[in-house]
Tab-separated table of all heavy atoms in Angstrom:
chain	number	residue	atom	x	y	z
B	774	PRO	N	-20.043	-43.378	-20.311
B	774	PRO	CA	-20.576	-44.301	-21.266
B	774	PRO	C	-21.614	-45.343	-20.572
B	774	PRO	O	-21.613	-45.421	-19.421
B	774	PRO	CB	-19.451	-45.109	-21.780
B	774	PRO	CG	-18.428	-45.034	-20.705
B	774	PRO	CD	-18.705	-43.727	-19.963
B	775	ASN	N	-22.377	-45.955	-21.399
B	775	ASN	CA	-23.224	-47.073	-20.960
B	775	ASN	C	-22.291	-48.308	-20.623
B	775	ASN	O	-21.298	-48.538	-21.255
B	775	ASN	CB	-24.227	-47.479	-22.040
B	775	ASN	CG	-25.030	-48.619	-21.675
B	775	ASN	OD1	-24.626	-49.799	-21.722
B	775	ASN	ND2	-26.243	-48.347	-21.129
B	776	CYS	N	-22.604	-48.955	-19.457
B	776	CYS	CA	-21.726	-50.028	-18.993
B	776	CYS	C	-21.548	-51.184	-20.002
B	776	CYS	O	-20.503	-51.727	-20.116
B	776	CYS	CB	-22.171	-50.514	-17.667
B	776	CYS	SG	-22.081	-49.342	-16.402
B	777	LEU	N	-22.569	-51.445	-20.715
B	777	LEU	CA	-22.476	-52.547	-21.722
B	777	LEU	C	-21.606	-52.186	-22.883
B	777	LEU	O	-20.817	-52.988	-23.406
B	777	LEU	CB	-23.821	-53.046	-22.183
B	777	LEU	CG	-24.742	-53.680	-21.058
B	777	LEU	CD1	-26.062	-54.095	-21.642
B	777	LEU	CD2	-24.036	-54.795	-20.420
B	778	SER	N	-21.668	-50.884	-23.334
B	778	SER	CA	-20.782	-50.447	-24.388
B	778	SER	C	-19.388	-50.389	-23.899
B	778	SER	O	-18.404	-50.633	-24.654
B	778	SER	CB	-21.213	-49.142	-25.086
B	778	SER	OG	-21.860	-48.344	-24.227
B	779	LEU	N	-19.208	-49.994	-22.595
B	779	LEU	CA	-17.841	-50.072	-22.060
B	779	LEU	C	-17.229	-51.490	-21.979
B	779	LEU	O	-16.107	-51.701	-22.280
B	779	LEU	CB	-17.871	-49.404	-20.564
B	779	LEU	CG	-16.478	-49.108	-20.053
B	779	LEU	CD1	-15.705	-48.042	-20.709
B	779	LEU	CD2	-16.604	-48.767	-18.461
B	780	GLN	N	-18.183	-52.376	-21.650
B	780	GLN	CA	-17.748	-53.781	-21.627
B	780	GLN	C	-17.288	-54.241	-23.058
B	780	GLN	O	-16.367	-55.008	-23.245
B	780	GLN	CB	-18.890	-54.647	-21.088
B	780	GLN	CG	-18.587	-56.120	-20.870
B	780	GLN	CD	-19.725	-56.937	-20.269
B	780	GLN	OE1	-20.845	-56.460	-20.425
B	780	GLN	NE2	-19.417	-58.094	-19.809
B	781	THR	N	-18.075	-53.792	-24.081
B	781	THR	CA	-17.745	-54.233	-25.411
B	781	THR	C	-16.357	-53.682	-25.739
B	781	THR	O	-15.555	-54.399	-26.383
B	781	THR	CB	-18.794	-53.634	-26.334
B	781	THR	OG1	-20.056	-54.054	-25.925
B	781	THR	CG2	-18.542	-54.083	-27.830
B	782	SER	N	-16.015	-52.370	-25.393
B	782	SER	CA	-14.751	-51.897	-25.749
B	782	SER	C	-13.626	-52.525	-24.948
B	782	SER	O	-12.467	-52.662	-25.375
B	782	SER	CB	-14.711	-50.319	-25.639
B	782	SER	OG	-14.709	-49.966	-24.241
B	783	CYS	N	-13.938	-52.996	-23.715
B	783	CYS	CA	-12.958	-53.699	-22.942
B	783	CYS	C	-12.633	-55.054	-23.619
B	783	CYS	O	-11.446	-55.466	-23.605
B	783	CYS	CB	-13.547	-54.008	-21.510
B	783	CYS	SG	-12.586	-55.161	-20.460
B	784	LYS	N	-13.618	-55.651	-24.199
B	784	LYS	CA	-13.429	-56.932	-24.829
B	784	LYS	C	-12.540	-56.919	-26.073
B	784	LYS	O	-12.062	-57.942	-26.555
B	784	LYS	CB	-14.780	-57.708	-25.096
B	784	LYS	CG	-15.322	-58.302	-23.804
B	784	LYS	CD	-16.624	-58.967	-23.961
B	784	LYS	CE	-17.137	-59.577	-22.705
B	784	LYS	NZ	-18.542	-59.984	-22.775
B	785	THR	N	-12.394	-55.699	-26.584
B	785	THR	CA	-11.496	-55.576	-27.818
B	785	THR	C	-10.064	-55.513	-27.403
B	785	THR	O	-9.200	-55.497	-28.293
B	785	THR	CB	-11.886	-54.286	-28.576
B	785	THR	OG1	-11.559	-53.144	-27.788
B	785	THR	CG2	-13.349	-54.271	-29.053
B	786	ASN	N	-9.819	-55.367	-26.159
B	786	ASN	CA	-8.357	-55.284	-25.671
B	786	ASN	C	-8.087	-56.542	-24.891
B	786	ASN	O	-8.779	-56.797	-23.882
B	786	ASN	CB	-8.183	-54.028	-24.819
B	786	ASN	CG	-6.876	-53.907	-24.118
B	786	ASN	OD1	-6.522	-54.690	-23.227
B	786	ASN	ND2	-6.099	-52.961	-24.628
B	787	TYR	N	-6.969	-57.211	-25.197
B	787	TYR	CA	-6.685	-58.564	-24.630
B	787	TYR	C	-6.414	-58.443	-23.115
B	787	TYR	O	-6.807	-59.271	-22.367
B	787	TYR	CB	-5.657	-59.327	-25.388
B	787	TYR	CG	-4.230	-59.014	-24.962
B	787	TYR	CD1	-3.557	-59.827	-24.114
B	787	TYR	CD2	-3.614	-57.852	-25.554
B	787	TYR	CE1	-2.279	-59.496	-23.752
B	787	TYR	CE2	-2.293	-57.603	-25.165
B	787	TYR	CZ	-1.625	-58.373	-24.282
B	787	TYR	OH	-0.387	-58.125	-23.930
B	788	ILE	N	-5.774	-57.368	-22.687
B	788	ILE	CA	-5.503	-57.263	-21.221
B	788	ILE	C	-6.813	-57.050	-20.516
B	788	ILE	O	-7.097	-57.768	-19.542
B	788	ILE	CB	-4.588	-56.037	-20.934
B	788	ILE	CG1	-3.242	-56.191	-21.587
B	788	ILE	CG2	-4.341	-55.876	-19.412
B	788	ILE	CD1	-2.266	-55.041	-21.289
B	789	CYS	N	-7.630	-56.136	-21.009
B	789	CYS	CA	-8.885	-55.818	-20.319
B	789	CYS	C	-9.797	-57.005	-20.307
B	789	CYS	O	-10.343	-57.371	-19.323
B	789	CYS	CB	-9.606	-54.557	-21.002
B	789	CYS	SG	-10.927	-53.902	-20.040
B	790	ARG	N	-9.864	-57.707	-21.489
B	790	ARG	CA	-10.741	-58.831	-21.599
B	790	ARG	C	-10.398	-59.959	-20.584
B	790	ARG	O	-11.245	-60.453	-19.863
B	790	ARG	CB	-10.709	-59.397	-23.025
B	790	ARG	CG	-11.623	-60.535	-23.279
B	790	ARG	CD	-11.580	-61.069	-24.721
B	790	ARG	NE	-10.236	-61.380	-25.136
B	790	ARG	CZ	-9.675	-61.064	-26.256
B	790	ARG	NH1	-10.359	-60.333	-27.176
B	790	ARG	NH2	-8.459	-61.400	-26.568
B	791	SER	N	-9.141	-60.265	-20.450
B	791	SER	CA	-8.753	-61.341	-19.585
B	791	SER	C	-8.894	-60.995	-18.128
B	791	SER	O	-9.315	-61.738	-17.240
B	791	SER	CB	-7.348	-61.863	-19.864
B	791	SER	OG	-6.410	-60.866	-19.449
B	792	ARG	N	-8.602	-59.684	-17.832
B	792	ARG	CA	-8.769	-59.252	-16.385
B	792	ARG	C	-10.184	-59.085	-15.957
B	792	ARG	O	-10.466	-59.384	-14.817
B	792	ARG	CB	-7.972	-57.901	-16.249
B	792	ARG	CG	-6.462	-58.148	-16.438
B	792	ARG	CD	-5.714	-56.913	-16.043
B	792	ARG	NE	-4.169	-57.253	-16.134
B	792	ARG	CZ	-3.279	-56.472	-15.741
B	792	ARG	NH1	-3.566	-55.262	-15.226
B	792	ARG	NH2	-2.063	-56.849	-15.883
B	793	LEU	N	-11.022	-58.718	-16.900
B	793	LEU	CA	-12.439	-58.676	-16.544
B	793	LEU	C	-12.997	-60.091	-16.333
B	793	LEU	O	-13.741	-60.336	-15.365
B	793	LEU	CB	-13.234	-57.969	-17.634
B	793	LEU	CG	-14.689	-57.644	-17.314
B	793	LEU	CD1	-14.805	-56.744	-16.128
B	793	LEU	CD2	-15.433	-57.058	-18.505
B	794	ALA	N	-12.587	-61.018	-17.108
B	794	ALA	CA	-12.981	-62.430	-16.942
B	794	ALA	C	-12.517	-62.979	-15.649
B	794	ALA	O	-13.203	-63.650	-14.898
B	794	ALA	CB	-12.391	-63.243	-18.139
B	795	ASP	N	-11.236	-62.657	-15.230
B	795	ASP	CA	-10.751	-63.063	-13.979
B	795	ASP	C	-11.540	-62.486	-12.835
B	795	ASP	O	-11.794	-63.193	-11.816
B	795	ASP	CB	-9.206	-62.549	-13.762
B	795	ASP	CG	-8.249	-63.442	-14.498
B	795	ASP	OD1	-8.637	-64.553	-14.942
B	795	ASP	OD2	-7.132	-63.047	-14.566
B	796	PHE	N	-11.907	-61.231	-12.959
B	796	PHE	CA	-12.677	-60.569	-11.897
B	796	PHE	C	-14.024	-61.247	-11.719
B	796	PHE	O	-14.414	-61.545	-10.607
B	796	PHE	CB	-12.784	-59.032	-12.219
B	796	PHE	CG	-13.735	-58.329	-11.306
B	796	PHE	CD1	-13.360	-58.139	-9.943
B	796	PHE	CD2	-14.982	-57.755	-11.725
B	796	PHE	CE1	-14.278	-57.438	-9.110
B	796	PHE	CE2	-15.773	-57.110	-10.895
B	796	PHE	CZ	-15.395	-56.901	-9.517
B	797	PHE	N	-14.751	-61.588	-12.811
B	797	PHE	CA	-16.000	-62.181	-12.693
B	797	PHE	C	-15.899	-63.580	-12.138
B	797	PHE	O	-16.733	-64.021	-11.391
B	797	PHE	CB	-16.688	-62.195	-14.098
B	797	PHE	CG	-17.369	-60.902	-14.435
B	797	PHE	CD1	-17.107	-60.237	-15.604
B	797	PHE	CD2	-18.250	-60.297	-13.552
B	797	PHE	CE1	-17.696	-59.008	-15.933
B	797	PHE	CE2	-18.865	-59.106	-13.845
B	797	PHE	CZ	-18.559	-58.427	-15.046
B	798	ALA	N	-14.786	-64.261	-12.456
B	798	ALA	CA	-14.560	-65.633	-11.918
B	798	ALA	C	-14.244	-65.625	-10.474
B	798	ALA	O	-14.730	-66.428	-9.698
B	798	ALA	CB	-13.535	-66.344	-12.743
B	799	ASN	N	-13.350	-64.722	-10.073
B	799	ASN	CA	-12.797	-64.785	-8.695
B	799	ASN	C	-13.626	-64.051	-7.651
B	799	ASN	O	-13.357	-64.200	-6.411
B	799	ASN	CB	-11.317	-64.292	-8.672
B	799	ASN	CG	-10.414	-65.220	-9.463
B	799	ASN	OD1	-10.537	-66.443	-9.305
B	799	ASN	ND2	-9.463	-64.694	-10.189
B	800	CYS	N	-14.457	-63.172	-8.009
B	800	CYS	CA	-15.188	-62.378	-7.038
B	800	CYS	C	-16.677	-62.718	-7.070
B	800	CYS	O	-17.497	-61.918	-6.623
B	800	CYS	CB	-15.025	-60.791	-7.233
B	800	CYS	SG	-13.356	-60.276	-7.005
B	801	GLN	N	-16.992	-63.885	-7.618
B	801	GLN	CA	-18.440	-64.267	-7.674
B	801	GLN	C	-18.992	-64.532	-6.220
B	801	GLN	O	-18.406	-65.374	-5.522
B	801	GLN	CB	-18.620	-65.487	-8.590
B	801	GLN	CG	-20.022	-65.583	-9.038
B	801	GLN	CD	-20.190	-66.761	-10.010
B	801	GLN	OE1	-19.250	-67.094	-10.743
B	801	GLN	NE2	-21.383	-67.416	-9.972
B	802	SER	N	-20.104	-63.961	-5.967
B	802	SER	CA	-20.711	-64.191	-4.655
B	802	SER	C	-21.442	-65.518	-4.541
B	802	SER	O	-21.820	-66.105	-5.501
B	802	SER	CB	-21.755	-63.079	-4.421
B	802	SER	OG	-21.176	-61.821	-4.225
B	803	GLU	N	-21.395	-66.048	-3.282
B	803	GLU	CA	-22.139	-67.215	-2.975
B	803	GLU	C	-22.644	-67.071	-1.539
B	803	GLU	O	-21.900	-67.228	-0.594
B	803	GLU	CB	-21.198	-68.490	-3.099
B	803	GLU	CG	-21.881	-69.793	-2.578
B	803	GLU	CD	-23.246	-69.984	-3.128
B	803	GLU	OE1	-23.328	-70.280	-4.323
B	803	GLU	OE2	-24.172	-69.976	-2.300
B	804	PRO	N	-23.968	-66.673	-1.414
B	804	PRO	CA	-24.559	-66.369	-0.075
B	804	PRO	C	-24.445	-67.499	0.903
B	804	PRO	O	-24.419	-67.281	2.096
B	804	PRO	CB	-25.941	-66.001	-0.338
B	804	PRO	CG	-26.216	-66.225	-1.874
B	804	PRO	CD	-24.923	-66.468	-2.524
B	805	ARG	N	-24.325	-68.761	0.374
B	805	ARG	CA	-24.370	-69.896	1.379
B	805	ARG	C	-22.934	-70.177	1.906
B	805	ARG	O	-22.812	-70.884	2.855
B	805	ARG	CB	-24.862	-71.167	0.646
B	805	ARG	CG	-26.352	-71.227	0.502
B	805	ARG	CD	-26.761	-72.294	-0.373
B	805	ARG	NE	-26.194	-72.074	-1.769
B	805	ARG	CZ	-26.329	-72.925	-2.746
B	805	ARG	NH1	-27.109	-74.037	-2.647
B	805	ARG	NH2	-25.833	-72.718	-3.958
B	806	SER	N	-21.887	-69.557	1.312
B	806	SER	CA	-20.548	-69.796	1.861
B	806	SER	C	-20.170	-68.752	2.953
B	806	SER	O	-20.764	-67.602	2.933
B	806	SER	CB	-19.508	-69.822	0.777
B	806	SER	OG	-18.993	-68.517	0.631
B	807	LEU	N	-19.444	-69.159	3.880
B	807	LEU	CA	-19.088	-68.292	5.080
B	807	LEU	C	-18.345	-67.021	4.561
B	807	LEU	O	-18.566	-65.936	5.070
B	807	LEU	CB	-18.170	-69.146	6.018
B	807	LEU	CG	-18.025	-68.523	7.381
B	807	LEU	CD1	-19.264	-68.436	8.104
B	807	LEU	CD2	-16.950	-69.394	8.136
B	808	SER	N	-17.539	-67.256	3.553
B	808	SER	CA	-16.738	-66.055	3.101
B	808	SER	C	-17.597	-65.124	2.222
B	808	SER	O	-17.234	-63.985	2.005
B	808	SER	CB	-15.547	-66.602	2.260
B	808	SER	OG	-15.998	-67.158	1.041
B	809	GLY	N	-18.707	-65.637	1.661
B	809	GLY	CA	-19.548	-64.866	0.762
B	809	GLY	C	-19.142	-65.025	-0.629
B	809	GLY	O	-19.764	-64.473	-1.554
B	810	CYS	N	-18.075	-65.873	-0.822
B	810	CYS	CA	-17.587	-66.012	-2.229
B	810	CYS	C	-17.731	-67.484	-2.629
B	810	CYS	O	-17.589	-68.413	-1.831
B	810	CYS	CB	-16.068	-65.708	-2.277
B	810	CYS	SG	-15.683	-64.020	-1.804
B	811	LEU	N	-17.945	-67.658	-3.981
B	811	LEU	CA	-18.011	-68.970	-4.590
B	811	LEU	C	-16.676	-69.642	-4.477
B	811	LEU	O	-16.564	-70.811	-4.003
B	811	LEU	CB	-18.476	-68.854	-6.009
B	811	LEU	CG	-18.735	-70.182	-6.720
B	811	LEU	CD1	-19.878	-70.964	-6.096
B	811	LEU	CD2	-18.990	-69.962	-8.237
B	812	LYS	N	-15.617	-68.917	-4.937
B	812	LYS	CA	-14.219	-69.429	-4.727
B	812	LYS	C	-13.786	-68.780	-3.401
B	812	LYS	O	-13.605	-67.585	-3.362
B	812	LYS	CB	-13.347	-68.988	-5.820
B	812	LYS	CG	-13.686	-69.653	-7.121
B	812	LYS	CD	-12.606	-69.338	-8.135
B	812	LYS	CE	-12.912	-69.976	-9.543
B	812	LYS	NZ	-11.898	-69.681	-10.533
B	813	GLU	N	-13.630	-69.598	-2.405
B	813	GLU	CA	-13.385	-68.958	-1.050
B	813	GLU	C	-11.917	-68.516	-0.976
B	813	GLU	O	-11.094	-69.030	-0.188
B	813	GLU	CB	-13.723	-69.915	0.077
B	813	GLU	CG	-15.199	-70.469	-0.189
B	813	GLU	CD	-15.824	-70.838	1.145
B	813	GLU	OE1	-15.595	-70.193	2.135
B	813	GLU	OE2	-16.616	-71.790	1.086
B	814	ASN	N	-11.605	-67.488	-1.773
B	814	ASN	CA	-10.210	-67.000	-1.731
B	814	ASN	C	-10.212	-65.517	-1.956
B	814	ASN	O	-10.326	-65.012	-3.073
B	814	ASN	CB	-9.422	-67.725	-2.934
B	814	ASN	CG	-7.914	-67.435	-2.823
B	814	ASN	OD1	-7.516	-66.417	-2.380
B	814	ASN	ND2	-7.229	-68.369	-3.309
B	815	TYR	N	-10.165	-64.782	-0.866
B	815	TYR	CA	-10.171	-63.323	-0.921
B	815	TYR	C	-9.018	-62.762	-1.693
B	815	TYR	O	-9.186	-61.761	-2.441
B	815	TYR	CB	-10.163	-62.696	0.518
B	815	TYR	CG	-11.456	-62.880	1.285
B	815	TYR	CD1	-11.471	-62.803	2.648
B	815	TYR	CD2	-12.667	-63.077	0.635
B	815	TYR	CE1	-12.644	-62.897	3.374
B	815	TYR	CE2	-13.828	-63.191	1.319
B	815	TYR	CZ	-13.863	-63.100	2.723
B	815	TYR	OH	-15.077	-63.270	3.436
B	816	ALA	N	-7.852	-63.339	-1.561
B	816	ALA	CA	-6.662	-62.847	-2.173
B	816	ALA	C	-6.843	-62.784	-3.693
B	816	ALA	O	-6.482	-61.813	-4.356
B	816	ALA	CB	-5.427	-63.663	-1.821
B	817	ASP	N	-7.420	-63.912	-4.278
B	817	ASP	CA	-7.622	-63.944	-5.676
B	817	ASP	C	-8.598	-62.934	-6.182
B	817	ASP	O	-8.465	-62.371	-7.215
B	817	ASP	CB	-8.150	-65.333	-6.153
B	817	ASP	CG	-6.977	-66.367	-6.185
B	817	ASP	OD1	-5.808	-65.905	-6.065
B	817	ASP	OD2	-7.260	-67.563	-6.426
B	818	CYS	N	-9.640	-62.690	-5.371
B	818	CYS	CA	-10.685	-61.700	-5.726
B	818	CYS	C	-10.004	-60.319	-5.724
B	818	CYS	O	-10.192	-59.545	-6.670
B	818	CYS	CB	-11.788	-61.714	-4.718
B	818	CYS	SG	-13.076	-60.445	-4.961
B	819	LEU	N	-9.260	-60.031	-4.630
B	819	LEU	CA	-8.567	-58.641	-4.584
B	819	LEU	C	-7.625	-58.493	-5.703
B	819	LEU	O	-7.410	-57.427	-6.222
B	819	LEU	CB	-7.931	-58.412	-3.266
B	819	LEU	CG	-8.880	-58.373	-2.028
B	819	LEU	CD1	-8.106	-57.990	-0.771
B	819	LEU	CD2	-10.011	-57.403	-2.231
Side-chain angles (χ1 to χ4, degrees):
Chain B
N775 177 276
C776 293
L777 295 181
S778 32
L779 190 67
Q780 188 181 15
T781 307
S782 72
C783 171
K784 283 179 176 166
T785 63
N786 174 289
Y787 83 98
I788 298 181
C789 192
R790 184 177 54 224
S791 72
R792 293 190 176 186
L793 188 61
D795 279 351
F796 173 65
F797 281 127
N799 291 319
C800 294
Q801 201 180 326
S802 290
E803 172 49 66
R805 282 168 301 180
S806 91
L807 195 61
S808 65
C810 301
L811 184 66
K812 292 190 178 179
E813 306 209 34
N814 189 331
Y815 287 157
D817 281 352
C818 175
L819 296 186

